[in-house]
Amino acid sequence: MPSSPAPRTPRLLFWGAAAAASIAAIPLLYLVIRITGSGIDSILEVLSRGRTWETAGTSLGLAFTVIIASLAISYPTALILTRVHVPFPRSFFTLAVLPLAIPSYVAAYAWLAQFPAMSGFWAAALILTLVSFPYTFLPIIVSLRTSDHSLEQVARSLGRTPITAFLATSFRQSTPAAAAGSLLIGLYVLSDFGVVALFRVDTFTRVIYSTYRASFDKTSAAVLAGILVLLAIILISLERKARGRTLRYRPDRGVANSLSRLTSTRGIRSASVAWLTGLATTSLLIPTASLFILMSEGTRALDWGELTTAVINTVVVSFVGAVIAVGLALPIAALTSRFRNRKSAAIESLSYSGLALPGVVIGLSLVFLSINVFPAIYQSFFLLAFAYAVLFLPKSLGASRSAFESTPPVLEQVARSLGKKPMSAWMFTTGRLSLTGVAAGGLLVMLTSMKELPATLMLRPTGFETLATELWNRTELAAYGAAVPYALALIAVAAIPAFLLSKAILVTKSEEKRPTEISISA
Amino acid sequence: MFARKIALLTVVSVLTAPLLVACSSDSGSNGSSEEITLYSGRGEYLVGSLFDQFTEETGIKVNARYGGSAELAAQMLEEGDKSPAQVYLSQDSGALGTVEGILATLPTSIVNLIPESYRAANDTWIGVTGRARVIAYDSETVTEGEVPTSVFDLTDEKWRGQVGIAPANASFQSFITAMRIAEGEEATRNWLEDLVANDVQKYEKNGLILDAVDSGQVELGLINHYYWFRKAAEVGEDSMRAQISFADPKDPLSLINVSGVGLLKKSQENPNAIAFVKWLMSKETQEWFANTTYEYPLLPAAEAAEGLPALDSLLGPDIDLAQLSDLPATLKLLQDVGLI
């Protein structure tokens, strides 16, 4: 990469990123084909329905509620784990990451089984918050751990109180990370179907599903999905605003990494432990305990062979999906972490399509593309893995980008000046230092893919069952007792990447001079 | 180097992953090329063993692809002529109706097996099993005698906030279509508006309505009869708080809906696909459905499960099922009153 102060975007990198982003934007292309193939009348008809806007409002409201609630959980939790002496800090940290492993529809069903009166907007907001708060918790705690604490110490020495010093420095430094996590949560809530269906909230995605399902009226469904994309663009631009143009790498040396922990009173410590325990109870213990209760009510014997096959299939296909996602995300992340301009912003926004759209839209778009252009891979293992990559690429993108951003470009420039070619200079410096961050993004894609259902049903090879499809097979027939072992297996399997993710974030490589900043943020 | 090792490991595992999966999933073709590809809107948990039995008896392998009936229909329409599907088995006649354009005409020897009212007018699909619409009620708060027998009683003040429906579900939509035909557009629209005004409770699907009645969340729920029998089989009949009641035979509420099967156009002459459809309509298979899923067999010679009222005693409203494919107008109506 060039080392001039106003860097020009390397052409190869730009086109690589553009190619990756256009692959991620396949679902958008499909929507455009479907929408433009219809008359203006049918488009206007959909837009003029009062219900269209009412449900769109509900979806946005739900997204913002869940984001605010997640932040309200994440900041205290991250602060406790970085500033208060609590027993077993590492275990509590892992417990705060593990809710990522619980599929939202499983959590909703488990709660509903114990509290059948739960329904409506606030119930859905509660469950969505409990399964998605780690998306803000992780980037926030990473930011609090690695941000430049000397600033906070300076603020204190200038007479600020601990709270105002924190707000003026570390908190402000953490806003880009928090905003990025919030974006992932917001996009997820917009496209969620399972939780809102179980708690009977009329959201926009539900209207899209019932339109697809009921009439096969592809036009109005596509128009509705188009509106969802517009809602997503609102969230993406809000996030970009919050992220601002700040460069996030730290000065190379001379900064104490850890702020001395607050001399916490016994009261603060017990309140902290109570908070962490309460969080783990509501987000992990209640849903899993409920599943065990349900399992005891089932009557049909479990087929271990079937379960094992489903576990293997789930792990393998989500792993391959994660590898493809990381591969597609790398050029985009390399571009956007170093070259901020309109073109790179457009490329980045395009690659978010997958996360905002409901799985059924992604599924149909890949059916359409594959059967018409690549019939040989239709309903193959690779198409399914590829679908996961398209769906969840933004998760890997965010992690890779923030890892690259936190590596000072000067290292690369030094390598170049020592005679390395651009690619190998990048590999030896930024690439190498960011390895853990990139891997963390891959883990996140993997664990999300494991839980994916609608696109999996459409695109998997015939006869190929994953844990999510086996679970669906049973819940579809109200065989909840028989479904539970699969729900528990899914949680257990997804807990592995979630656990590795928490380890990857805790690790600070001793051989490196500075801690690697890892963030799952977008 | 660490990075290179990771890269190498990743490449190797990505390349070998499909092989591993191919070994783990049972894809042995046991040497015969006799096979059919089936898109099944009925779940594997329910019909998987039935298909195995077909393979055992005929040597024809069934490549079954499971999914929601409507989603599979949408998928087949997207696939067009290139669809790998040869046979489509659907949960409900509505989804069959929407794909009629890509279905072949079935041989008369097959369609004549069952009464006219349970198949498509143009012979593109036939019903395999029948389901009756029933009212599930909370036996702790409602006596059997109090349960409404006419659809028009449901809008009574007495049931305010106490009726559960699944407006996005195909079986509810078929019921509304039947009501439009039997009672007229105006009466149906008024009834739906009254129902909404009476604070009707919306659920995603039949099973969830039954759970809600069973846990005392609502007193009444409109569901298909076999959901109750299936849940009773899963948790034990004695622990069922919800009970079911059949409506007046002439009321739209007592509609008999069907699950059905059709052949894709390119498989019109395919002997294996035809053999499969014939086998579904055989007495043994029909009775298997009766005893396993508690649905009504449609083959006149097959017997329904014990404890069910006879199919012809539940006449249903005076309409034929082919008319139920007028789904778009029903959807428009449900959108207008704000139910979907």
Side-chain angles (χ1 to χ4, degrees), chain A residues 1-56:
Chain A
M1 261 171 254
S3 52
S4 57
R8 273 191 36 220
T9 317
R11 200 176 285 173
L12 189 66
L13 180 62
F14 175 79
W15 287 112
S22 25
I23 289 174
I26 289 169
L28 271 190
L29 178 72
Y30 165 81
L31 282 186
V32 171
I33 292 174
R34 282 278 168 253
I35 294 174
T36 53
S38 63
I40 187 82
D41 289 350
S42 51
I43 299 177
L44 289 177
E45 199 271 320
V46 176
L47 294 180
S48 66
R49 279 182 217 153
R51 221 175 134 65
T52 303
W53 301 106
E54 188 191 319
T55 51

Side-chain angles (χ1 to χ4, degrees), chain A residues 114-266:
Chain A
Q114 303 311 319
F115 308 100
M118 280 178 84
S119 76
F121 185 91
W122 296 107
L126 172 72
I127 300 307
L128 285 167
T129 304
L130 288 177
V131 296
S132 47
F133 78 87
Y135 284 110
T136 45
F137 166 72
L138 277 175
I140 288 172
I141 197 170
V142 168
S143 161
L144 292 185
R145 283 173 85 233
T146 57
S147 66
D148 193 345
H149 296 308
S150 56
L151 289 177
E152 195 168 337
Q153 284 154 352
V154 169
R156 288 293 308 278
S157 72
L158 292 173
R160 298 265 189 141
T161 66
I163 291 173
T164 53
F166 168 74
L167 288 178
T169 60
S170 300
F171 176 76
R172 192 172 283 182
Q173 282 177 309
S174 74
T175 48
S182 303
L183 175 61
L184 288 187
I185 293 178
L187 295 179
Y188 177 73
V189 173
L190 285 186
S191 63
D192 171 73
F193 176 74
V195 174
V196 291
L198 281 167
F199 290 125
R200 312 195 282 127
V201 189
D202 280 333
T203 61
F204 205 66
T205 297
R206 276 189 78 190
V207 176
I208 294 178
Y209 266 80
S210 51
T211 312
Y212 266 111
R213 224 178 238 176
S215 64
F216 317 113
D217 171 3
K218 292 182 202 161
T219 307
S220 14
V223 174
L224 290 168
I227 298 175
L228 196 61
V229 172
L230 292 181
L231 297 185
I233 290 174
I234 297 178
L235 292 183
I236 292 172
S237 50
L238 284 177
E239 188 264 343
R240 186 157 290 131
K241 224 172 218 175
R243 202 200 307 157
R245 301 185 66 84
T246 43
L247 288 175
R248 291 206 281 145
Y249 48 85
R250 293 174 48 217
D252 293 68
R253 55 189 146 119
V255 181
N257 178 37
S258 60
L259 188 71
S260 52
R261 296 192 175 217
L262 283 181
T263 38
S264 45
T265 63
R266 182 174 290 186

Side-chain angles (χ1 to χ4, degrees), chain A residues 30 34 51 117 200 202 206 213-214 216 299-300 316 372 378-379 457-458 460 462 464 473 479 482, chain B residues 17 21 39 44-45 64-67 70-71 75 78-79 82 98 201-204 217 234 327 331 340:
Chain A
Y30 165 81
R34 282 278 168 253
R51 221 175 134 65
R200 312 195 282 127
D202 280 333
R206 276 189 78 190
R213 224 178 238 176
F216 317 113
T299 48
R300 197 148 133 175
V316 175
N372 289 310
Y378 187 57
Q379 289 178 357
L457 282 175
M458 274 187 193
R460 69 203 159 123
T462 297
F464 182 87
N473 269 334
Chain B
V21 169
Y39 276 22
E44 183 189 17
Y45 189 65
R65 184 171 188 83
Y66 300 95
E71 283 85 348
Q75 185 165 359
E78 200 67 78
E79 290 167 345
K82 293 172 192 143
T98 52
Q201 299 294 307
K202 296 188 287 176
Y203 292 84
E204 188 59 25
Q217 300 307 307
E234 178 92 9
L327 200 54
L331 291 170
I340 57 167

Side-chain angles (χ1 to χ4, degrees), chain A residues 66-82:
Chain A
V66 174
I67 288 172
I68 291 166
S70 299
L71 291 171
I73 290 180
S74 302
Y75 269 109
T77 312
L79 274 175
I80 289 171
L81 288 171
T82 47

